[in-house]
Amino acid sequence: MVARTTTSPWDRFAAFDPGLMRLTSAMRAVLGTAATLAVLTALRAPETALVVGGFTAMTTSLAISDLHPRNQLITLGLGAPLSLASLSAGAALTPYPTAAELIFLVVIHLAVQARRFGPRGLGLGIFGFMAFLLSQFTQARADRLPQLGASVLVAFAAVTAVWYCVGPITASEALRRLRHAFDVRLHDVLRDTAAMVATGQDIDTRSRSLQDRLDTLHASVLLIEDFLDERAAGDDTEALLRHLSRVEVAAQRLAVLAVRAMRTPAARNDLAERTARQRLAQRIRALRHQPTVGTACAAERCAEGYEGGPANRPTGSALVLDCFPAVDELAEALRVLGPRDRPSGRRTPPRKHASPTFGALPHRDTDTESLKRRATRQAFQVTAASALAIAGGHLLSPHLWYWAVAAAWVVFIKNESTGEVLLQSLRRLAGTVLGVVFGYGLTALVGGDGPVLLVLLLLCMFGMFYTPSHAYWAVTFFITGTLGMLLALMDTFSTHVLLLRVQETALGVSCGILAAVLVLPTTVRRASDEELVGFLRVLDRLLRTVGAGSTNTEAPTSRVRAAHDLDQALESFRKACLPLTHPLTPQRRRRHHVRHLLELLEAGAYHARSLATTAERLPAGHVPECATSLTAAAERAHETVTHLIRVAGHGPGAASHMARPTAVRALSRLSEEQRVRRNWPSPEHRLLLHIDRLDATLTALVRALDPLASDPDGTTVVPSERVDIPLPHGPAQAAAVSCAVLTDRCERARAG
């Protein structure tokens, strides 16, 4: 991390766009399109060829979502022949509209089916769909095919030249940028923590801001882990993953302890308390300025320095004194592996769930059979929606019906449930309406000035790719603005065409919603339940991995990987629940309930990450004294999974009708946990602490899912009645037995 007392505007920019990936994608789209148009103009290509070349260049940035430069080049190479084949098929069928529409439906079905292969399959599906759509948009004919094919090849060549000749980005450079974003976000976390400690006021407001900072820090960690998953794992990769995990856990723990200390009103006006807080704030600021050098003693000496050493021992409340060892723990975590260390180059085989052809898959798609079922189900949904959009689009406009098909296609991308499709449809429609107003105003202001219209088109294209994907309405806004500039350049711009754009979009999203409801529907409740089951299963795997650490020499690596999979599972659950947690959701009680579940899962994920990081610090072959409690926590995860599978297929439980007054975030919940002891705990005691807290979180989760939940003996689950399950032969054997019990119960629950 850079040793600066202030953050430069470039650092703020890097934190907003980790790795500058969106900026890179937007610049590539703009420069690639501009280069394509320049080459085709120099070759005196007709207007249709210009549209085909520019649209193809734009599609490359839209379709390629790989993080690793090597994988981007592979996808780009596969996209060129696929685009040519799809464009050729569309051009050959243009004289036969009915046949072209039927083949278009086949292309749509195959393009969606390709999503089973992960991100690259999604990208190749976009290439095929967009090329066929382009042939219908330009009314391409077979006699023009050589000219249009040459335009496609020019577009791919121009994009490749821009990507790899004008400021090429290597894998090491991309990783350096991502790590710089991590450094800047860690800088922000430490700055806000120090400010909160120094002022001691507005704790609720500052804790919410600090929670947002921690979320962005966690997002950068996930992005780095996803990037590393796209290449073969090596010793340098695993060391970096362990380093990032330990730093993130230490930073979050410091934030939790700081919020807990600041929320305690004890002796705020006491001079010793104020002095201790000022010293703590100074230590955090010093760590922020030079974290790789460190300003503190080693973690093993912290307890002696703060608790038993009479010299230089700060005075103050116990909660404030607890923060000092946390600062030293973060300082030592940062010294374990410097942020600028270079990789060693040693390689080991890639992760088991990483496909050698299509890269690493996200957690929600790790199950191949489940991914195939989802892709097949969605292929039928999109095909049905497109068929309805074609029929309805012809009624609105015989020549612009493909706008409705495009809208029906887009609302299903990366969405699973009916609620997600509905939310995406509303965003698409809102962005289109705003974009029409924006495009009409700009075009009327500029008039027919071609160069200015071209510049505005490229600016709108830049905004389309630079806007974060979660702000989809803004992405659609810029897409519609780009279309308005394009129509003005082609002298086909009119108010009627823009209104028709809104009508076709409304028709397309309506067809998408109708298909999502009627064709193999998946409700939000079912999707969220599936992701919740997935989260608990990954948590169970993490617990078994920690339990097996005494006999597995590669346990540290698998622990880090399991913790990463758990974070991915949590993100999948959060996305599946997005329609329920949206501010416009009419079901307020259910929204409170889902937010409460997210609060519990976030707290559980924190303790699970801390559990994995703490277990890594244990000596190899060491059997922790808390193995029995670890087995008990694994068994409780089994029981929670079994209970959820049993109730998932039924109507909403009693919990959905019990409104929670307020839903707090994970930082607030964690800071409310009871303080255990003042002495600096050993790794064994820390492991036991996190297991106990995780066990309590799972108990609260069972109660949140079903307040009347009971154990197999019919006794209501109460935290005070929890007992440790005897360890059969060791943690690994116990985990294996528990896994077998879980599998048997899941099969019986499904059969029942």
Side-chain angles (χ1 to χ4, degrees):
M1 184 174 176
V2 291
R4 289 200 298 265
T5 59
T6 59
T7 304
S8 67
W10 181 254
D11 289 339
R12 299 265 55 80
F13 193 72
F16 175 71
D17 181 16
L20 304 180
M21 290 187 173
R22 295 199 309 275
L23 176 63
T24 302
S25 177
M27 292 301 298
R28 284 173 171 176
V30 172
L31 294 178
T33 303
T36 301
L37 295 177
V39 172
L40 293 177
T41 302
L43 296 176
R44 299 184 182 279
E47 185 179 85
T48 303
L50 290 174
V51 173
V52 170
F55 192 86
T56 302
M58 184 187 68
T59 303
T60 56
S61 294
L62 180 67
I64 297 177
S65 59
D66 304 276
L67 300 177
H68 199 282
R70 181 197 62 231
N71 294 335
Q72 294 174 355
L73 183 60
I74 294 173
T75 306
L76 190 64
L78 294 175
L82 182 60
S83 297
L84 286 175
S86 183
L87 181 66
S88 301
L93 293 172
T94 298
Y96 313 100
T98 304
E101 292 164 4
L102 293 177
I103 296 301
F104 195 15
L105 292 178
V106 175
V107 171
I108 290 172
H109 187 87
L110 294 177
V112 180
Q113 283 280 13
R115 297 178 187 179
R116 67 176 61 195
F117 299 114
R120 185 168 296 158
L122 174 62
L124 295 179
I126 292 176
F127 274 123
F129 172 83
M130 289 298 182
F132 201 100
L133 180 69
L134 185 60
S135 68
Q136 303 304 301
F137 174 73
T138 58
Q139 289 295 297
R141 300 281 180 171
D143 56 344
R144 295 183 181 178
L145 194 55
Q147 192 177 54
L148 299 181
S151 299
V152 171
L153 293 179
V154 168
F156 274 94
V159 168
T160 304
V162 167
W163 284 27
Y164 297 98
C165 296
V166 182
I169 300 177
T170 62
S172 58
E173 174 64 17
L175 182 59
R176 187 195 65 80
R177 290 183 177 183
L178 289 172
R179 296 189 64 184
H180 178 65
F182 172 82
D183 292 342
V184 174
R185 291 182 172 185
L186 178 62
H187 184 283
D188 293 339
V189 170
L190 296 176
R191 182 194 61 198
D192 284 11
T193 304
M196 180 181 61
V197 171
T199 59
Q201 299 175 354
D202 300 327
I203 303 302
D204 292 335
T205 302
R206 291 182 179 273
S207 65
R208 286 194 294 269
S209 174
L210 184 56
Q211 176 71 73
D212 294 336
R213 300 293 190 189
L214 290 171
D215 290 342
T216 58
L217 177 67
H218 183 61
S220 64
V221 173
L222 291 179
L223 197 58
I224 294 175
E225 291 174 338
D226 289 339
F227 177 85
L228 295 176
D229 280 348
E230 289 193 8
R231 68 176 185 177
D235 292 345
D236 57 311
T237 300
E238 304 307 332
L240 178 57
L241 289 177
R242 292 195 296 270
H243 165 67
L244 292 175
S245 177
R246 185 174 177 184
V247 169
E248 182 194 5
V249 168
Q252 189 169 6
R253 183 171 186 271
L254 174 60
V256 169
L257 294 177
V259 172
R260 180 187 301 175
M262 296 306 106
R263 282 184 171 173
T264 303
R268 279 189 177 178
N269 297 324
D270 182 74
L271 179 60
E273 178 74 4
R274 291 201 306 270
T275 302
R277 293 189 179 190
Q278 291 300 324
R279 289 189 59 181
L280 177 60
Q282 291 174 1
R283 292 284 302 279
I284 297 175
R285 292 192 189 100
L287 183 63
R288 188 189 74 183
H289 298 159
Q290 286 184 321
T292 57
V293 177
T295 58
C297 57
E300 290 79 3
R301 299 169 56 189
C302 289
E304 178 182 357
Y306 291 129
E307 300 298 334
N312 299 326
R313 186 179 71 179
T315 58
S317 64
L319 295 176
V320 173
L321 295 182
D322 284 341
C323 298
F324 284 90
V327 175
D328 295 328
E329 181 181 348
L330 178 56
E332 177 147 354
L334 288 165
R335 286 197 299 269
V336 170
L337 178 65
R340 304 297 174 223
D341 287 355
R342 293 291 183 250
S344 62
R346 292 182 56 188
R347 298 291 180 188
T348 56
R351 298 181 67 178
K352 292 183 179 180
H353 71 268
S355 169
T357 304
F358 292 98
L361 306 181
H363 163 72
R364 66 189 301 168
D365 297 334
T366 53
D367 186 351
T368 305
E369 294 300 324
S370 175
L371 178 58
K372 290 180 179 180
R373 288 194 301 270
R374 289 178 176 180
T376 301
R377 173 182 57 79
Q378 198 171 69
F380 283 106
Q381 288 180 329
V382 178
T383 304
S386 300
L388 293 175
I390 290 175
H394 274 290
L395 297 178
L396 291 177
S397 173
H399 304 291
L400 299 177
W401 53 269
Y402 43 81
W403 282 348
V405 179
W409 154 279
V410 169
V411 296
F412 281 95
I413 294 181
K414 296 182 181 180
N415 293 317
E416 296 293 339
S417 65
T418 304
E420 289 180 285
V421 172
L422 176 61
L423 187 59
Q424 188 83 327
S425 299
L426 295 177
R427 290 170 175 170
R428 177 81 179 186
L429 186 58
T432 300
V433 173
L434 295 176
V436 163
V437 176
F438 171 74
Y440 180 81
L442 273 185
T443 306
L445 183 63
V446 173
D449 193 338
V452 176
L453 287 174
L454 181 60
V455 171
L456 291 176
L457 185 148
L458 295 178
L459 289 177
C460 289
M461 187 182 301
F462 178 87
M464 179 200 323
F465 288 98
Y466 187 69
T467 304
S469 58
H470 61 265
Y472 183 69
W473 68 270
V475 176
T476 307
F477 170 84
F478 286 113
I479 291 175
T480 308
T482 302
L483 179 63
M485 301 303 108
L486 178 62
L487 293 175
L489 285 172
M490 297 175 63
D491 292 329
T492 57
F493 177 85
S494 66
T495 307
H496 172 70
V497 174
L498 291 181
L499 293 178
L500 189 60
R501 165 73 175 178
V502 176
Q503 294 173 357
E504 294 281 359
T505 301
L507 174 64
V509 299
S510 300
C511 293
I513 295 172
L514 189 62
V517 172
L518 299 180
V519 181
L520 304 175
T522 298
T523 63
V524 179
R525 176 179 174 81
R526 178 181 176 183
S528 60
D529 285 348
E530 289 178 356
E531 298 298 346
L532 181 57
V533 170
F535 175 88
L536 293 171
R537 285 175 175 164
V538 176
L539 177 60
D540 166 64
R541 186 163 65 248
L542 173 61
L543 291 171
R544 288 189 285 111
T545 301
V546 174
S550 59
T551 58
N552 187 357
T553 57
E554 297 183 358
T557 298
S558 56
R559 292 184 197 119
V560 173
R561 295 295 189 180
H564 173 55
D565 290 342
L566 186 70
D567 293 331
Q568 293 284 44
L570 179 58
E571 293 302 314
S572 298
F573 177 75
R574 182 180 286 109
K575 182 180 182 301
C577 295
L578 189 59
L580 299 177
T581 57
H582 196 273
L584 299 180
T585 300
Q587 301 177 351
R588 300 301 178 89
R589 292 183 178 181
R590 194 174 181 187
R591 184 178 67 182
H592 279 291
H593 173 60
V594 173
R595 287 182 175 179
H596 179 46
L597 291 182
L598 280 172
E599 165 198 333
L600 293 173
L601 294 182
E602 288 174 356
Y606 162 74
H607 287 299
R609 285 194 300 270
S610 302
L611 183 65
T613 304
T614 305
E616 179 193 343
R617 298 169 59 187
L618 296 175
H622 176 72
V623 180
E625 59 188 65
C626 52
T628 303
S629 298
L630 175 62
T631 307
E635 179 63 22
R636 187 162 297 281
H638 299 333
E639 295 295 335
T640 306
V641 172
T642 306
H643 175 71
L644 180 59
I645 293 177
R646 185 168 58 248
V647 303
H650 300 80
S656 61
H657 300 288
M658 298 177 60
R660 178 177 164 83
T662 56
V664 299
R665 300 291 297 278
L667 182 60
S668 298
R669 180 177 180 84
L670 292 170
S671 63
E672 293 172 356
E673 293 177 345
Q674 184 179 3
R675 179 175 181 268
V676 179
R677 51 192 262 172
R678 183 176 180 180
N679 292 330
W680 186 257
S682 63
E684 290 82 359
H685 288 91
R686 177 77 68 80
L687 197 67
L688 182 60
L689 172 65
H690 288 300
I691 290 172
D692 183 69
R693 296 281 170 80
L694 184 58
D695 196 10
T697 302
L698 289 173
T699 301
L701 183 62
V702 171
R703 288 189 167 190
L705 294 173
D706 188 354
L708 303 179
S710 59
D711 59 18
D713 297 331
T715 307
T716 302
V717 177
V718 180
S720 60
E721 298 176 354
R722 286 179 284 137
V723 296
D724 291 341
I725 299 176
L727 190 65
H729 302 288
Q733 292 82 354
V737 172
S738 300
C739 184
V741 172
L742 171 63
T743 304
D744 178 67
R745 289 176 176 172
C746 290
E747 294 298 332
R748 285 187 296 173
R750 287 197 181 99

